[in-house]
Amino acid sequence: MAFDIANLQPIGGQGKRGKSSQHWSYWTLDAATDVDAAGYFNSSTAYAGAYNLLEIGDVIHRVTWATAIGTGGTVSTYGTHLVKDKASGTVDVTNETDLTETDSD
């Protein structure tokens, strides 16, 4: 599966661009290792996709679904990625910071 800009959404009132991190929610079926590849958020085209939305220092909260996205299915993993570099039409995010899902009931 490839990047889907419809699944990248701002969270809450965004910080002032260039003055603080903006936070984004991103739902996908892709593994964290796919999402953290340089250029993933470009939708395979320079200056397309989320290139103009994301800035260095922005935080992306990724939720990877094991089944269909947002249909009551199962969440596989989630984690955060930081926008590390943005140059020559390519967005690069850090490897994920793993977060743990638990449900004790």
Side-chain angles (χ1 to χ4, degrees):
M1 188 171 170
F3 170 64
D4 185 346
I5 198 162
N7 294 339
L8 180 69
Q9 297 293 317
I11 297 174
Q14 291 287 40
K16 189 172 183 179
R17 189 174 180 153
K19 299 292 181 188
S20 66
S21 295
Q22 293 183 319
H23 287 251
W24 299 87
S25 172
Y26 182 62
W27 285 9
T28 185
L29 293 173
D30 295 336
T33 53
D34 293 334
V35 173
D36 69 31
Y40 176 86
F41 286 97
N42 295 79
S43 191
S44 301
T45 305
Y47 300 99
Y51 186 86
N52 292 321
L53 293 175
L54 299 170
E55 289 295 334
I56 295 171
D58 282 359
V59 178
I60 300 168
H61 302 273
R62 178 202 38 81
V63 175
T64 296
W65 292 79
T67 56
I69 296 171
T71 60
T74 304
V75 170
S76 172
T77 63
Y78 84 107
T80 59
H81 302 267
L82 186 68
V83 178
K84 179 183 160 239
D85 293 310
K86 185 178 159 183
S88 303
T90 301
V91 174
D92 191 13
V93 300
T94 60
N95 295 350
E96 76 170 323
T97 299
D98 292 323
L99 301 170
T100 303
E101 313 98 53
T102 57
D103 185 9
S104 61
D105 55 334

